[in-house]
Amino acid sequence: MSIQVLALLVCAGLMHSSWNLLSKEGKDRQVFIWLAICSASLLCFLPFLLLYQAVSPHVWPLIALSAALEASYYLLLGAAYRYGDLSLVYPLARGSAPLFVTVIALLVLGERLSLIGGLGILLIVSGIYVIHLRTFAWRELTAPLRRLREPAALLALLCGLSIAGYSTVDKVGLRYAAPLTYIYLVFVISALYLLPYMLLARRAAVQAEWQAHAPRIVLAGALALLSYLLVLFALRQTQVSYIASARELSVVFAALMGTAILHESFGRQKLVGSLLIFAGILCIALQA
């Protein structure tokens, strides 16, 4: 993995964890995230028109599918944040994605993992698991598996599955479309998918959330769009299984932000988990 790709993913991870932090502080997280996506779509409408490149007809089904998976991800993430902390929900949502992506990439896209690349993915997943430990006591080692039955954990895992789905679709779609055009269309269509639900069932919440957090919503939307765009540029340069894993640097950022800003706990397990994630990313960077 080149220094340029790694730099893109570091910036994307920081932006991604930042907009998740902003959405966690919203009153209604599902509505907050939807408004952020709408804001990003409106904010970038003029640049989109100026930079638009024609999209081949056979790419539209991929864009529609990616947008549907994105919309599902936003709903699931907003619901997960009702039940769990940023420093736990975010790592599980993002951390489960590399496993799903790797399986899909191997089976569907025909990608192959090197020994060092596979080790890097294993280290990252292990680090995310360690972050979920409350202590290093022997009886606690299987606690994250037991907590998978809790609502926040189940929703976070479904988020990870959605991430894996749209990441794989995007890898294929970017073979035939420019990143700027592709991402904008995905954002707009995902917002349109959720429009009936938001206006018919959540109209009062939409108005209240916008009045209470408009500046944060606009900032979150801009960060979400930029982080996704950086990842799309990276996807064009190396295989999706490595990109999905290296993106998990954002888990470390989220854990630090949850501790420093939201005053969530940060123990030795999060420190060790963060170091494992860094080691995994280093393996991937050296190999990919």
Side-chain angles (χ1 to χ4, degrees), residues 104-281:
I104 295 172
L106 292 174
L107 296 178
V108 178
L109 300 182
E111 292 187 355
R112 295 291 181 267
L113 295 179
S114 68
L115 180 61
I116 295 178
L119 175 62
I121 293 174
L122 181 61
L123 285 170
I124 290 169
V125 173
S126 299
I128 291 165
Y129 187 89
V130 170
I131 281 177
H132 280 80
L133 297 175
R134 290 171 181 166
T135 70
F136 283 121
W138 181 257
R139 64 181 179 277
E140 176 66 18
L141 295 181
T142 59
L145 295 177
R146 296 194 299 271
R147 288 199 292 271
L148 291 180
R149 294 173 292 181
E150 298 174 0
L154 289 173
L155 289 166
L157 281 176
L158 290 174
C159 283
L161 189 57
S162 298
I163 293 167
Y166 72 67
S167 296
T168 307
V169 173
D170 292 345
K171 177 64 176 178
V172 178
L174 287 172
R175 296 173 183 171
Y176 313 104
L180 288 170
T181 301
Y182 185 93
I183 186 180
Y184 186 80
L185 292 172
V186 168
F187 261 58
V188 171
I189 295 173
S190 64
L192 291 175
Y193 280 148
L194 298 176
L195 182 63
Y197 168 67
M198 290 296 174
L199 293 188
L200 295 177
R202 311 298 302 279
R203 178 175 294 184
V206 169
Q207 294 175 340
E209 196 68 36
W210 180 256
Q211 291 173 355
H213 300 112
R216 289 174 179 265
I217 287 169
V218 173
L219 178 58
L223 290 171
L225 184 66
L226 287 172
S227 68
Y228 192 15
L229 179 61
L230 293 180
V231 171
L232 292 186
F233 278 118
L235 270 174
R236 302 189 89 184
Q237 301 181 55
T238 191
Q239 60 189 53
V240 66
S241 53
Y242 289 153
I243 293 294
S245 300
R247 287 186 70 188
E248 303 318 307
L249 183 60
S250 62
V251 170
V252 179
F253 294 141
L256 293 172
M257 289 177 181
T259 301
I261 300 175
L262 301 181
H263 306 294
E264 298 170 359
S265 61
F266 191 96
R268 289 181 301 164
Q269 66 279 11
K270 288 184 180 177
L271 175 60
V272 173
S274 298
L275 292 175
L276 287 171
I277 292 171
F278 274 120
I281 291 172

Side-chain angles (χ1 to χ4, degrees), residues 28-106:
D28 189 313
R29 280 83 181 204
Q30 286 184 333
V31 171
F32 185 104
I33 293 171
W34 179 72
L35 285 171
I37 301 309
C38 291
S39 299
S41 300
L42 293 174
L43 191 65
C44 296
F45 180 68
L46 183 57
F48 168 74
L49 289 180
L50 294 174
L51 300 172
Y52 176 77
Q53 297 182 37
V55 176
S56 175
H58 64 271
V59 180
W60 282 102
L62 296 173
I63 292 173
L65 178 56
S66 180
L69 292 167
E70 284 269 5
S72 300
Y73 165 67
Y74 298 139
L75 287 178
L76 291 166
L77 185 65
Y81 281 145
R82 289 187 205 152
Y83 298 102
D85 289 343
L86 173 74
S87 57
L88 289 179
V89 170
Y90 189 87
L92 186 55
R94 301 302 315 180
S96 59
L99 286 178
F100 296 134
V101 168
T102 300
V103 172
I104 295 172
L106 292 174

